[in-house]
Amino acid sequence: MNLRHTLCHRLAVHLLDIRLRGVQPMSGAEGGVMVIANHPAPLDWWLLPLFLPADTLFVYDIREKRPPFVVRFYSWINWLGVDFTRPGHHQTLMDHLSGGGVAFAFPEGGATGADAIAKVAAFPLSAARKAGAKWIVGHLWGSRKLSFWHLLTRRRGIVLDFSSPDPAPIREKPEAPGMRQAEERLVGDWLVAAAFKGRPIHRTLWEGLIENCRPFDSQRVMLQEGSGTQATQGSFFTRTAILAQLLKKQTQPGERVGVLLPTTVGGLITFFALQLLGRTPTMLNFTAGPEAMAASARLAGVKTILSSRLFIEKAKLQAAHDHLKGVARVLLLEDLKKELNPWMLLKGFVTSRMPLFFHRRWSQGVDRNDPGVILFTSGSEGTPKGVVLSHGNLQANLNQIKARVDFNERDTLLNALPMFHAFGLTVGTLAPLFSGMKGILLPSPLDYRGVAETCYRTQSTILASANTFLAGYGKVAHPYDFHTLKLVFAGAEPLREETARLWRDKFGIRILEGYGATETSPVISVNTPMENLSGSVGRALPGMARHLAPVEGVDVGGRLWVKGENVMVGYLKEGAGREPIPPAGPMGKGWYDTGDVVAEDEAGYLQIVGRAKRFAKIGGEMVSLAAVEALAANTWPNERHAIITLPDPKKGERILILTERPNPDLKELIEQARKEHAAEILIPKRIIHIEEVPILGSGKIDFLKAREMVLELADQE
């Protein structure tokens, strides 16, 4: 190693605050070693040569525009320029690897300008496979956001993580159709896994927020409401610190505090004020009714509930407010503001400039494994459960999402989903804050025209919602309202084909469907622009183990169990202060039963066969209620339907359809079943028309209420 290499190495470490992990195993390994990493910025070509072995062969795509003078400056380095699209250029690299050398390449080719993984080339994998070389997969994090201004004003750390497990050698395999695509997918999966592992999971959500906001200017507009109200990064932290002082007097360390607020700037400030203090926000579902909210508060042991007089009036929650008073103390934010004084304002300003110091002082040792939020399941098929998600759970899921999807500061995310819903909290609310995006907040997803108009005015680029709401937006919006959207994600409920078709035809937008559960923080899998299969819910996120348990009577797929850092701490027990019940299964601790029957193809795409509870056993044969619902949706695509089962003395169970279709004709359903070659057993014995199928605030069908309606109709007959 020459003097220039040594000096540049030390300068880079001290000036750029570079943290290096796992580079030692590259040297002295038996046989060749192929090293790959993501390529977020042109700066990467200046960094990597300083931290890899001096005899590394650096392979670059000759079509890439590397930084000027990089080859001339690093005169001691062996460079190999090839065309990644031409297999004939592999020989030199293969010879180097076969001789036991170390080689490095960016499979993405040129700098992507993104933190997520972009298109990758199979070139490095093909060459290494033929040479029998081993692999080391790395991840670079932080180089994309580095600027000259950051060097002058603050230290912005760069992480070079090569600590991912070394995959086994890939030996020579016969060429086969689809080999290149399979190799590209494998390289992409390794890079995505390294990206997830290389991203830090901070001690608390507050620390993660500070770290992700640090590179950006305090005058940057961080949040905006549909009404036009804005919050800059500086004002957000100042207002949060001021509110935290008021709440500090009203709550105790570690206390579970109820939050009854919509998705607004004020609601988000309240959420993070509790995080700053080390309290646990307990998000109450204000669409569930007074009794359900009170039951949730009692289950979590909530003593204090935070709400707003303006919100209670607008949402007509006065009855719920009065009912909750009998369970816990209800504090209104408007009343708390009356206690402000100049000293609190000054201290709030100081706190916002020293947020980590005051957080560690006030939170009293809160750790990543401690509860970060308490959410409640939708209760579409039973009593809502209290789900405890840790600080680490939420940050892990955010890192998993960012490893697959490119969220960055150039985007604007529009969210109208409520914060009490896991999808609305993690994807709609936290993802913008933890990715440098501007977040647009709307209090209700049911304001279809308001959402469409807000998207047009704010030129949002990302929208996260549920099928029910997306269908509503698609019907009322002007074809130009969504012209700036580049990513539209659907979750919480199955995406219907007519909704996807409407968005394709009217807006030219492909909806990307994902899948998850409150217990997994919530995302398990997602389709992306680079990896999308129609009819599936995408490929599983990195860092998640999966197991498909056989289900009696189901030939395709199995009951999905998952395990990973994003899986919940556990379910709440009855009574305050008790430890939650952690998930566990036949495979051991930490495994969560999703309750869904899922099929997985060779490429890793997941397809939901149906809920395990949503199967009917008719005459000894298992029938998927999801398949019946799909048949009804294809027959009458413009109406909503709910599939209900009732006991049957002869065949065990019978299926009924609740539909909004006026005068539904069973013959139309039978004809559609013939067109689809569907089994006759899918056709229900009875179809009942109702004015409106009951839905929950998350957009899911309320099957409990639907079943009650069926029983009431049966009693009246």
Side-chain angles (χ1 to χ4, degrees):
M1 187 177 296
N2 61 35
L3 180 61
R4 185 190 297 180
H5 183 284
T6 303
L7 291 176
C8 291
H9 174 89
R10 292 182 178 178
L11 182 63
V13 169
H14 292 290
L15 183 62
L16 303 180
D17 188 23
I18 294 179
R19 286 158 280 176
L20 184 66
R21 303 172 189 157
V23 74
Q24 292 79 9
M26 297 181 194
S27 303
E30 289 186 16
V33 177
M34 185 74 225
V35 186
I36 60 173
N38 62 314
H39 192 6
L43 179 66
D44 305 332
W45 275 122
W46 291 98
L47 296 177
L48 267 300
L50 301 176
F51 294 91
L52 294 179
D55 58 349
T56 301
L57 175 65
F58 283 84
V59 185
Y60 64 94
D61 192 330
I62 56 177
R63 298 167 298 169
E64 179 187 2
K65 293 182 180 179
R66 290 167 298 151
F69 310 117
V70 66
V71 176
R72 188 179 304 173
F73 184 81
Y74 293 131
S75 57
W76 67 87
I77 288 178
N78 296 321
W79 298 91
L80 176 63
V82 300
D83 186 341
F84 279 16
T85 63
R86 298 193 177 186
H89 287 186
H90 292 185
Q91 192 59 50
T92 303
L93 175 58
M94 286 190 294
D95 292 343
H96 180 78
L97 294 172
S98 298
V102 178
F104 175 85
F106 288 123
E108 295 173 297
T112 63
D115 287 330
I117 306 303
K119 174 183 175 182
V120 296
F123 164 76
L125 179 58
S126 300
R129 173 172 56 83
K130 293 175 181 178
K134 293 187 177 181
W135 282 82
I136 292 181
V137 184
H139 179 71
L140 283 80
W141 182 77
S143 62
R144 185 178 63 83
K145 300 175 183 177
L146 191 69
S147 69
F148 181 72
W149 176 249
H150 292 136
L151 296 180
L152 293 179
T153 58
R154 70 195 79 176
R155 298 173 71 188
R156 171 62 185 171
I158 295 177
V159 176
L160 307 178
D161 191 327
F162 292 95
S163 59
S164 295
D166 182 6
I170 301 177
R171 300 301 179 188
E172 180 73 38
K173 296 180 181 178
E175 298 294 337
M179 172 68 77
R180 179 177 176 180
Q181 289 79 4
E183 289 180 334
E184 288 177 350
R185 185 166 56 246
L186 182 59
V187 171
D189 287 347
W190 286 348
L191 289 171
V192 166
F196 166 63
K197 185 176 180 180
R199 294 176 183 273
I201 296 179
H202 300 278
R203 191 173 64 91
T204 64
L205 282 171
W206 181 260
E207 291 186 356
L209 177 68
I210 297 299
E211 177 65 24
N212 284 279
C213 287
R214 185 173 293 169
F216 305 103
D217 184 48
S218 62
Q219 297 304 311
R220 176 182 68 94
V221 176
M222 188 177 183
L223 297 167
Q224 179 179 326
E225 295 181 2
S227 61
T229 303
Q230 294 183 339
T232 63
Q233 182 173 296
S235 67
F236 177 83
F237 284 110
T238 301
R239 292 168 63 184
T240 301
I242 292 172
L243 179 58
Q245 292 181 79
L246 295 172
L247 298 180
K248 186 172 181 288
K249 297 180 179 180
Q250 303 288 345
T251 58
Q252 300 298 318
E255 182 180 340
R256 297 169 180 173
V257 180
V259 177
L260 186 64
L261 291 168
T263 308
T264 59
V265 173
L268 201 51
I269 286 174
T270 304
F271 178 87
F272 275 104
L274 295 172
Q275 298 291 349
L276 173 58
L277 294 171
R279 280 46 164 176
T280 304
T282 302
M283 314 304 290
L284 300 179
N285 181 350
F286 47 77
T287 68
E291 291 292 341
M293 281 189 277
S296 297
R298 281 192 292 265
L299 177 63
V302 168
K303 298 178 181 178
T304 303
I305 297 175
L306 302 176
S307 190
S308 161
R309 181 175 291 107
L310 179 63
F311 171 60
I312 290 173
E313 292 174 356
K314 285 190 173 183
K316 299 179 181 180
L317 294 174
Q318 190 59 51
H321 172 259
D322 296 339
H323 191 73
L324 287 171
K325 283 183 177 179
V327 178
R329 179 182 51 159
V330 180
L331 295 179
L332 302 179
L333 297 179
E334 291 88 346
D335 295 337
L336 286 177
K337 288 181 180 179
K338 298 176 182 178
E339 301 178 14
L340 281 175
N341 56 56
W343 169 246
M344 287 185 174
L345 296 176
L346 177 60
K347 190 175 180 181
F349 177 81
V350 174
T351 303
S352 67
R353 296 305 184 268
M354 304 172 63
L356 290 179
F357 171 79
F358 283 95
H359 172 59
R360 288 165 183 166
R361 182 179 177 184
W362 290 341
S363 63
Q364 297 186 5
V366 173
D367 189 68
R368 60 180 284 181
N369 297 318
D370 291 326
V373 69
I374 294 176
L375 300 175
F376 296 89
T377 58
S378 61
S380 60
E381 299 172 8
T383 305
K385 298 177 181 178
V387 178
V388 180
L389 298 176
S390 71
H391 295 270
N393 291 154
L394 292 166
Q395 292 183 80
N397 201 229
L398 288 169
N399 287 348
Q400 289 169 320
I401 297 167
K402 289 192 288 185
R404 285 264 186 221
V405 185
D406 179 26
F407 289 155
N408 60 67
E409 66 276 7
R410 298 185 296 270
D411 289 313
T412 299
L413 190 148
L414 175 63
N415 175 46
L417 295 174
M419 291 193 297
F420 62 71
H421 189 255
F423 187 36
L425 177 65
T426 301
V427 178
T429 309
L430 297 182
L433 301 181
F434 281 70
S435 305
M437 287 186 285
K438 180 180 178 181
I440 308 298
L441 306 177
L442 293 170
S444 173
L446 295 173
D447 183 9
Y448 295 161
R449 295 189 184 278
V451 170
E453 182 63 26
T454 300
C455 186
Y456 173 75
R457 286 190 292 104
T458 59
Q459 297 188 6
S460 299
T461 60
I462 301 175
L463 173 64
S465 195
N467 174 83
T468 299
F469 307 132
L470 290 172
Y473 306 150
K475 290 175 183 177
V476 306
H478 186 277
Y480 203 63
D481 281 340
F482 298 127
H483 75 284
T484 57
L485 288 177
K486 70 174 187 180
L487 295 173
V488 177
F489 294 105
E493 60 174 331
L495 176 66
R496 294 171 63 174
E497 175 55 34
E498 56 269 25
T499 305
R501 189 186 308 115
L502 172 63
W503 276 72
R504 284 197 304 267
D505 296 343
K506 188 173 183 179
F507 309 113
I509 294 175
R510 176 179 58 182
I511 298 177
L512 302 170
E513 187 176 6
Y515 161 67
T518 304
E519 292 86 347
T520 58
S521 305
V523 186
I524 293 174
S525 66
V526 65
N527 281 293
T528 69
M530 189 168 62
E531 297 178 322
N532 179 69
L533 179 63
S534 180
S536 78
V537 291
R539 305 182 70 215
L541 296 180
M544 293 198 69
R546 304 181 300 284
H547 173 72
L548 295 179
V551 177
E552 181 186 359
V554 178
D555 299 328
V556 179
R559 189 164 181 146
L560 178 64
W561 291 75
V562 294
K563 182 180 181 180
E565 292 188 63
N566 59 316
V567 174
M568 64 175 177
V569 175
Y571 288 120
L572 286 177
K573 294 180 180 179
E574 291 288 344
R578 298 184 182 178
E579 292 296 320
I581 305 172
M587 295 76 66
K589 295 181 179 179
W591 285 91
Y592 164 66
D593 177 15
T594 65
D596 291 311
V597 179
V598 175
E600 183 173 2
D601 64 15
E602 293 182 356
Y605 288 95
L606 304 181
Q607 292 181 316
I608 308 300
V609 179
R611 291 285 294 170
K613 293 180 180 179
R614 300 288 295 160
F615 277 81
K617 197 166 187 178
I618 301 177
E621 187 172 348
M622 299 295 288
V623 179
S624 170
L625 301 188
V628 180
E629 185 175 353
L631 177 62
N634 293 336
T635 307
W636 305 300
N638 297 321
E639 288 83 22
R640 190 180 291 115
H641 320 280
I643 314 301
I644 305 299
T645 61
L646 291 178
D648 186 276
K650 294 182 178 181
K651 293 190 175 183
E653 288 182 287
R654 56 192 172 100
I655 300 174
L656 298 89
I657 294 181
L658 281 181
T659 178
E660 296 174 356
R661 174 78 174 180
N663 303 315
D665 189 346
L666 185 60
K667 293 180 180 179
E668 296 179 6
L669 198 68
I670 296 173
E671 182 62 28
Q672 182 64 32
R674 288 174 179 169
K675 290 180 182 179
E676 298 181 7
H677 304 287
E680 185 178 345
I681 199 170
L682 295 180
I683 301 173
K685 299 303 180 185
R686 187 178 179 189
I687 305 174
I688 302 174
H689 167 69
I690 57 175
E691 292 298 324
E692 186 176 359
V693 171
I695 62 172
L696 300 166
S698 61
K700 294 181 179 180
I701 294 174
D702 189 341
F703 288 106
L704 290 179
K705 185 68 177 293
R707 185 179 178 84
E708 290 175 3
M709 295 174 69
V710 170
L711 294 175
E712 288 177 6
L713 291 172
D715 291 340
Q716 295 173 6
E717 295 177 353

